[in-house]
Amino acid sequence: MPSIRKPLIPLAPLPVNELGLTLRDYEGGMSTLCAGCGHDSITAAITRAFFELSLPPEKIAKLSGIGCSSKTPTYFVSGAHGFNSVHGRMPPIVTGANAANRSSIYIGISGDGDSLSIGAGHFVHAVRRNVNMVYVIENNGVYGLTKGQFSATADVGSSAKKGAANETPPIDPVILALSLGATFVARSFSGDKGQLIPIIKAAVEHKGFALIDVISPCIQFNNHEGSTKSYHYVREHEIKEIDQVYIPPSGEITAVLPEDGIVKVKMFDGSTLAFRTLPPHYDPRDREGAMHYVNQARLRREIPTGLLFIDEDAPDVHELNSTTDTPLVDLPYESLCPGSGALARFMEGFK
Amino acid sequence: MPSIRKPLIPLAPLPVNELGLTLRDYEGGMSTLCAGCGHDSITAAITRAFFELSLPPEKIAKLSGIGCSSKTPTYFVSGAHGFNSVHGRMPPIVTGANAANRSSIYIGISGDGDSLSIGAGHFVHAVRRNVNMVYVIENNGVYGLTKGQFSATADVGSSAKKGAANETPPIDPVILALSLGATFVARSFSGDKGQLIPIIKAAVEHKGFALIDVISPCIQFNNHEGSTKSYHYVREHEIKEIDQVYIPPSGEITAVLPEDGIVKVKMFDGSTLAFRTLPPHYDPRDREGAMHYVNQARLRREIPTGLLFIDEDAPDVHELNSTTDTPLVDLPYESLCPGSGALARFMEGFK
Amino acid sequence: MTLSDNLETELNHTSRYVATSGVNDFAIRFANVNGTGSASANNLLLKSIFRMGIPVSGKNLFPSNIQGLPTWYELRVNGKGHTARASEFDLVVAMNGQTYREDVASLKSGGYLLYDSSWPLPKELMREDVNILGVPLSNLCTEPFPGSKERVLLRNIAYAGAVSALLDLDHSIVSEMLDEKYKKNEILRSSNQIALTIGYNYAKENFECPLPIRVAPLGVNANKILIDGNTTAALGCVYAGATVAGWYPITPATSIAENFLKLCERYRTFEVTRPDGTVEVKRNFAVLQAEDEIAALGMVVGAAWAGARSFTSTSGPGISLMNEIIGLAYYTEIPAVIINVQRTGPSTGMPTRVQQADLMTCAYASHGDTKHILLFPADPNECFSFAAKAFDLAEHFQTPVMMLSDLDIGMNDWVVDKLEWDDNYVWDRGRVLNSEQLAELPNFLRYSDPDDDYVTSRTLPGKDSKGAYFTRGSGHDRFGGYTESPEAYQDVVDRLTKKLQRAASYVPEPIIKSKPGSNLGVITIGSCEAAVLEALEILDEGGVSLDYMRLRGFPFDQSVRKFIDDHENCIVVEQNRDAQLRSLLILDLGVDPNLLRSVLSYGGFPLSTKSVVEGIEDLIKD
Amino acid sequence: MTLSDNLETELNHTSRYVATSGVNDFAIRFANVNGTGSASANNLLLKSIFRMGIPVSGKNLFPSNIQGLPTWYELRVNGKGHTARASEFDLVVAMNGQTYREDVASLKSGGYLLYDSSWPLPKELMREDVNILGVPLSNLCTEPFPGSKERVLLRNIAYAGAVSALLDLDHSIVSEMLDEKYKKNEILRSSNQIALTIGYNYAKENFECPLPIRVAPLGVNANKILIDGNTTAALGCVYAGATVAGWYPITPATSIAENFLKLCERYRTFEVTRPDGTVEVKRNFAVLQAEDEIAALGMVVGAAWAGARSFTSTSGPGISLMNEIIGLAYYTEIPAVIINVQRTGPSTGMPTRVQQADLMTCAYASHGDTKHILLFPADPNECFSFAAKAFDLAEHFQTPVMMLSDLDIGMNDWVVDKLEWDDNYVWDRGRVLNSEQLAELPNFLRYSDPDDDYVTSRTLPGKDSKGAYFTRGSGHDRFGGYTESPEAYQDVVDRLTKKLQRAASYVPEPIIKSKPGSNLGVITIGSCEAAVLEALEILDEGGVSLDYMRLRGFPFDQSVRKFIDDHENCIVVEQNRDAQLRSLLILDLGVDPNLLRSVLSYGGFPLSTKSVVEGIEDLIKD
Ligand SMILES: Cc1ncc(C[n+]2csc(CCOP(=O)(O)OP(=O)(O)O)c2C)c(N)n1
Ligand SMILES: Cc1ncc(C[n+]2csc(CCOP(=O)(O)OP(=O)(O)O)c2C)c(N)n1
Ligand code: SF4
Ligand code: SF4
Ligand SMILES: [Mg+2]
Ligand SMILES: [Mg+2]
């Protein structure tokens, strides 16, 4: 929930979703972030996407590391369990939770510092394992909570609030994830809910690791002139060349797309993703093409956003592990303990 | 020094290099690796490359993490300082050493487990900082020292000695490094000294981070049928499409290359690298082209080797940091301490 | 110096700790090169003696390397059941030229030296006061085994044959074991049998068999098994119902996770037929090989948060890396089971050697004020029951529980009582509220309403919105809310102090063996047990009577305090340099340091009786 | 209970610890919202009082958040120099509606409450027994400052103006400070001056200025500065000649590395003209922002191995992550300086609050047997000298040295003696052999030939082939060779034990203040000093006389032992839950735990005199 207080009594009855819940039911505690922080907009987009998807709040598990970004899981879906863990270690924690209970919907919120510095090794391996989760990097190019150090995503030439310019080349989480075989890779901008909400929905439906790198300006430490992660800079350089609409399993299409350059992807649960791509031949199932496209745009100082790559066929962590369909936490003890008889037989091997 | 004992008295006077040293002077202690381990061949190649480059032994600093591969720095150049540190942390240790004394030649030896699992985050950041070092991954697809677990480079379908097949997609250090902006990326095979030695030489001369991913079969745990890192498999699937000759600053060309498909790269110190590329238009300065090439080869189950990419113009860690030319360790105390006068003036700001 | 000075004169200074050698009472050292397959030969002998019903132990002293370095195997037979590591040997089988000198030095005067006499007796092996048994192992194997690799392996089986003749092992048992082992590979079976016979016959024909050191069948192993602690620890995790393991390979802990995987594949998989008719094997578990130890424990904590019994196994360096997340689990009150198979530190140290040097680091792991429940098994049997117990304690107290095994227990085969499992066991999941229980509450407050053990109730994600709360490693109040208020913060951490105090009465109670009238106590832990008990028997024979207490869990219960109070002085025997167990006793019970003296052993080999006897004697003499 | 029971009757039970308020003796609490710029207003007042030559302290109690949460600033003025945190206030400036209730509760009876009277007095601020001073801050600022953001900021300067009138601050000093601060920005300078005057005039016109609580110029600050410990620690590193810093941001340590960078940019850069005529700034240092704390310490160890003085600064979670490499440095004997600015744990805890709860974890960091040198500065002055000292000790003893500062010392401004530097200082690089020295040796053996401090000589890479050796965290012998031999291994670790013992006489000696005849001692550490000294004065006035010892380094020297032996009982005052300093004393000196009792404070706010007085009284009463 963003930090602007809402009137306590709604003026008109609020719209409800399939579960009969209102948007309010997907909100969380009051945000304690700076007014205007990009992260709050992402929170709002998640809130709305989850509401529109009619996700049962108790089925949502929201986890994070440490940072301003990592505080945000408190600000959406109070009815969901949350875990604000330690800096950089959210990916393994989600991996373990997911292994234990595959029936929940896991959303991990991280920062560029959290994911690409201290957590870089874990990020890499969560991608590799194709852990079934939505992974949001709230990317502001800076360490917000510790007050403004450059992060690993700061662009060369981007200047700090105090004037020093970054020299070290950045890590682009999109390129990194693509090169590691990620199965769902998107980029968006906190200021663009119209694009972000359908991406979040698609990410929830995706079977496997769904990365959403969201440029999310830090108004406190990285929104000045010279920063390439400022509202101003992103607005100037963002190209929404790749846009998409999320079509739920019911098949009811809520937005009309120009037929030109449409790509449809069938999701695991029967829903459909329809892309409108401006470069007419962009193929979101071509990994190298996506990398090439993003790399070229970077040279032009452009930031292409949208769902850039998807592979619905790759096995996820549970397929790789052949985990039983029943969540492990729900297996009764009897199905886990071989019992005294088996033990006695096993002992025979050690006589 | 490989584990086969040499006769104690050489039969003929050994050839000497520019420093008047023999190959023996570049050897180290007796190897304790398994007879036939690929790592020993890499040790031998390093020994020869350093000998041929006439590197002063005291100027060499050899560091490693933990693993069979990480043991090998003891086996070459006894006259060089070595540091067998802890698992996965060699990159930051080299980064610090290099910051302190930029005049040494740093070679870091690591394993696929050491670099791509526990050390993945550090590897990524050493690449990003363009730390001036030779970084060798002795890549056997397996954890040798802990007896045969799959590493993160094990190919899908590769089977363990006990039969289980790997399911999780591998991390390719070459692709990873390329995607992170690495400035020197090579791949070779422990069994191919003819190729490996010039690559090592070029890596030493490279200004910045020089990755050499060397496929190095583990004859103990990963050399069986079904392993894609076995001698057999690599011999069958290696394509030495990209070959090169190292031409020292003196300019004396020791090997003759067919003029066709030659690319020459001028190195920082005035030496020249000349490439013979079989695909005639392969451009080792085209990062994306290199990635594409390697990716495509992988789909054909081929392993292209050679120096795949080089960028001699990128600033290295010291240029990024504007470090003084004098090694920091050699700065006298007087040039470091501002003295009591400066302190008194500084104190004025706190009155 | 208050330690019974008067006892000194009663002490007998001959080498009492070297058991007089003879029937069912001797020790053998096999000196090998690693990677040459000696393990199966040595194991064959161990197991055959075990099957003859005689107490026996085997200690594998191996290098941190895969091939080519010295490795020793020490086998001790003792009819009275004393199977601590021997320090002098009755028979040495010298198969490694690199270590001849120290091998022959470890032989008792009058003992036997077996060497490969295909070549002349190496001068380093010469010793006037021992019996030299040359067996031309290589020559004997040349003809039957033309392959050089095969020959290296089978030469070991040949010496096993010779040794079995010398010691009077039941030949049918030995031979049967080979049949069992190679029942699926006739070629190997027969070549092994041939090698065994070659050695056996050579010894029979050339030496006076059996030697005075020999075995005589006993019937004491009927209810025993020969097993290593890492196998039983893994079994304990299976029986406790653990479903998620997060791990990273590290010697000597690796085989716990590997065994857990194998056991789960055996007991926890089932087949399902896919719509297309193909069959898929499904798994009721997840074993996650992590990218490092931080991730391994992260996975465990994530799984436990979600409600699964989960664990990791590691050794010293892994514990160091886990420090931050151990503190997270402690403060957020998430169960986590960590099995630390201790090796020699600090740093990488000697990875294939044993110590008990992580006691302090585990008891107080992580920054800030923390304290953790520890379990100290002494043998593979306790590894099984304590591993299972660890889950009950972790879930009951909602906190990390560390089981501190060690390389000796974990990787050597021990003769222990058969493992038993009570089918009426009910796992203690601790205070986890289900939807019905939640429905009865006005609202759910995570860290409120502690029970007598100062434990509050938790809920699991994925279940019920009413139970939703926010887990955080940052300051929180009794309601689970974020806080930076001193009082609200202290309220929670003060409860944690009390909770950990309560755990003292839940950990396994100490094993105490008292004799009337003794005013000296010996306190020990884990794998020290065999050596300490034997030492006490020897000292007792010399007229020094000491009471015995083996600690099995931390925090320490009042019974521990009572034992110390009941004695004028206690001696703490442990395998580390810094007297860490003694430190824990002093801090946790407030014992006066002057009342506790130390016998320390930390060279990396399993504790020998000799070092304990000598250590205690030195203290008493002082 | 042996603690001087007889003293009880002598105690005076009135609130002696609340200094009687008056001239140069009062405390103010500013209750603000963070991110609203209140820091500069509060700092203006602190610094003005300092410049008037009066002892003063400011404690910033801020949240772990960037904007919008409660933050307090506590300012204490005390002519006698007692500047520990006050626990009750004479004046409260209530600028934050979220915390009105607790703010007004912290006001002493008869005290003053200043609030923004642009709106009616909020009912939560009503209190019969205090004086209410309404200043219509918002209204006063509306006209001059039309921008809403600007107005929020300047409202704070306006209250500073009012407070300065109420307290009788020297207006020219206050106003001059604003001129200094904004000398480069005329717009800001003038708006700040206007705001200051508005508040000043309003108070002058509407209240009887000055209040009974007010300042009167003193001359005691002539040789003093007002500075925070992170600035001085960074300075210490610069003066010690450190050239490499590896760090990762973490509150409250971040400003050490940031200050080090700034200072080096000031003192250690020079210009070179490139061949093409352009000018490049070159740096005689390297500050490496690492990817995490493991890497940060890895960089430090790498740089130290190569011969540079190098350090890292971090806080609790960073220490947990550094555990493995701390053990590596300990065992390989590589110098490393680690500055731990302690915060509230366990886990993330309260990152912007203070504790001294990493004592145990630092003293014995890493798995296996380890022990480390610790330094405990008590204020920013000692942060400077101890930081420099840390490098000498680390290089002399070739081992990690940790300086344990804390958030209170590191991030608050303290009035301390001016820093001094002896230009004759010679850095102690320890036993590092150069080529000439090497030439005289038959050969170089890394861990041989220890000196009286059990330190052996080392060589640096890149220098001389004769000095080449192999550094390894795995088992090594005195020659530096790899070993798995128990004796060779023990030989080295036994020397390490002795080396660390020797360090006890090199760390800064304890500060002891004894009165004749007192048989009770108080032992404390670091930032507890001010509160403990004041408490002892108060207790002394009540007739309870206690001796004082502040520890400044670990391991503990015999002088520490002597102090304890010289007293019947000692009370250890420290800021953690588990009495960690007491634990270290017990373990390191073998003190009977019964002789040491604890006064603990661990709510996260700087230690208050009141809590110490009460804590000691409670113990004495018992
Ligand atoms: C182990 C550890 N090291 C350092 C910190 C301090 N810390 C807190 S948040 C943070 C960085 C946050 O940056 P980012 O992830 O980009 O999040 P943002 O605040 O920018 O949203 C750091 C370094 C910590 N909490 N834990
Ligand atoms: C912190 C830590 N965890 C685990 C280990 C155990 N360990 C030693 S080597 C190794 C893996 C080695 O694999 P790799 O780097 O591929 O080297 P290789 O032996 O295959 O050459 C592991 C896990 C360790 N030494 N330290
Ligand atoms: S500091 Fe930056 S990232 Fe943090 S809350 Fe404020 S605007 Fe957002
Ligand atoms: S185990 Fe494998 S990697 Fe290790 S030494 Fe042997 S062959 Fe080489
Ligand atoms: Mg950020
Ligand atoms: Mg490997």
Side-chain angles (χ1 to χ4, degrees), chain D residues 243-288:
Chain D
T243 50
V244 178
W247 74 293
Y248 190 73
I250 189 165
T251 308
T254 299
S255 55
I256 293 187
E258 287 182 341
N259 277 313
F260 181 75
L261 175 62
K262 259 189 275 173
L263 290 164
C264 285
E265 279 172 345
R266 178 142 150 191
Y267 295 120
R268 297 249 196 94
T269 51
F270 58 98
E271 292 185 349
V272 288
T273 311
R274 291 210 193 85
D276 67 358
T278 59
V279 168
E280 195 188 358
V281 175
K282 287 283 199 174
R283 298 169 148 203
N284 274 344
F285 64 94
V287 175
L288 302 159

Side-chain angles (χ1 to χ4, degrees), chain B residues 39 66-69 87 111-114 140 142 144-146, chain C residues 248-249 293:
Chain B
H39 301 351
I66 298 283
C68 293
S69 34
H87 196 29
D112 39 336
D114 199 60
N140 53 15
V142 80
L145 192 55
T146 52
Chain C
Y248 189 72
E293 287 88 349

Side-chain angles (χ1 to χ4, degrees), chain A residues 123-163:
Chain A
F123 175 73
V124 161
H125 283 268
V127 170
R128 183 174 169 248
R129 289 189 188 96
N130 207 14
V131 176
N132 203 344
M133 70 181 295
V134 180
Y135 194 107
V136 180
I137 300 184
E138 303 191 343
N139 187 348
N140 52 15
V142 81
Y143 286 20
L145 192 55
T146 53
K147 303 203 162 185
Q149 299 79 23
F150 282 124
S151 81
T153 64
D155 293 298
V156 171
S158 187
S159 67
K161 211 175 172 183
K162 289 169 195 159

Side-chain angles (χ1 to χ4, degrees), chain A residues 116-117 120-121 124-125 128-129 151-152 167-171 175-176 179-180 288 291-292 295-296 320, chain B residues 116-117 120-121 124-125 128-129 151-152 167-171 175-176 179-180 288 291-292 295-296 320:
Chain A
L116 298 171
S117 284
V124 161
H125 283 268
R128 183 174 169 248
R129 289 189 188 96
S151 81
E167 304 272 8
T168 319
I171 299 174
I175 297 290
L176 180 61
S179 80
L180 290 164
E288 275 194 36
M291 284 171 89
H292 177 72
N295 274 328
Q296 292 306 313
L320 292 170
Chain B
L116 298 171
S117 283
V124 161
H125 284 267
R128 183 175 170 248
R129 289 188 188 97
S151 81
E167 305 272 8
T168 320
I171 298 175
I175 297 289
L176 180 61
S179 80
L180 289 163
E288 275 194 33
M291 283 171 88
H292 177 71
N295 275 327
Q296 292 304 314
L320 292 169

